Amino acid sequence: MAENENGVTHKLHTVDARTLRAIAHPLRIRLLNALREFGPATASKLGERLGESSGATSYHLRQLAESGLVEDAPELGKGRERWWRAVHDGSTFDSTDFRTHADPEVRGAIDVVLHETATTHAQELNTWLGTMSDWPQEWQRSWDMSDFKVRLTPELAREMAEKMHELVQSYRNRVPEGTEGSAVVRTHLHAFPRPSE
């Protein structure tokens, strides 16, 4: 769990080999992200949002539940309606531990997760670029798409990433839910070495 300066707790799940296998499927990653971003939903509602059948979403939600990543939200259901919610606000993992894992299935699973995450980031950015004119001028002036090239050692690259994580965490929960003019802001961090030649 991470706590901001206001004492609000943000539940993070540390991915292990078992839960890595559970999320190493494109639809499961999308389901988990949708529940974390938009809140509890039924398999049917998630199917509509993601363009999938309720049978597929229901099956994959049960798989995520077996790994403790989602759970029933029975207080929201009426009759036979089954609602699901994410157990954690986000996930964290050390990709280097999994990429060098002795089990090739685990290495394959992390590749699926990393590539699906990169695809999702690109889709989110492209969606913003295609819809930004629908947003008020204040939002059209406040977004950013930057890239930087900095010569670093591996240790300094890790330090930079950690400081950027701390910076983002310092803004978490500063704006109450429902504040007029506010929106959820997606922030992607990609830091990786490039050859000099």
Side-chain angles (χ1 to χ4, degrees), residues 96-185:
T96 56
D97 288 347
F98 291 124
R99 292 187 67 85
T100 58
H101 199 280
D103 185 344
E105 187 177 323
V106 172
R107 292 194 309 271
I110 194 62
D111 280 344
V112 168
V113 171
L114 293 175
H115 283 94
E116 188 63 25
T117 300
T119 298
T120 299
H121 289 183
Q123 288 170 341
E124 288 175 345
L125 183 56
N126 282 322
T127 298
W128 163 253
L129 293 173
T131 61
M132 77 166 92
S133 61
D134 300 339
W135 287 77
Q137 285 296 315
E138 295 83 9
W139 281 111
Q140 291 184 43
R141 288 191 300 267
S142 66
W143 73 286
D144 182 60
M145 185 173 75
S146 300
D147 68 281
F148 306 95
K149 294 170 186 74
V150 182
R151 184 168 297 278
L152 300 171
T153 62
E155 296 77 21
L156 287 175
R158 182 71 191 160
E159 177 184 311
M160 181 183 71
E162 288 171 358
K163 286 184 177 181
M164 293 172 85
H165 283 235
E166 290 170 9
L167 177 63
V168 171
Q169 287 295 344
S170 74
Y171 283 87
R172 193 172 300 282
N173 300 314
R174 286 179 57 178
V175 178
E177 187 77 29
T179 299
E180 187 176 338
S182 70
V184 172
V185 174

Side-chain angles (χ1 to χ4, degrees), residues 68-103:
L69 295 167
V70 303
E71 64 185 8
D72 279 314
E75 70 280 3
L76 300 175
K78 296 177 185 167
R80 296 185 55 188
E81 197 175 56
R82 188 174 188 182
W83 284 71
W84 299 91
R85 71 173 142 243
V87 174
H88 311 92
D89 298 316
S91 293
T92 184
F93 58 88
D94 185 345
S95 61
T96 56
D97 288 347
F98 291 124
R99 292 187 67 85
T100 58
H101 199 280
D103 185 344

Side-chain angles (χ1 to χ4, degrees), residues 51-63:
E52 299 284 345
S53 73
S54 61
T57 56
S58 182
Y59 170 78
H60 289 292
L61 285 164
R62 289 192 304 272
Q63 298 301 306

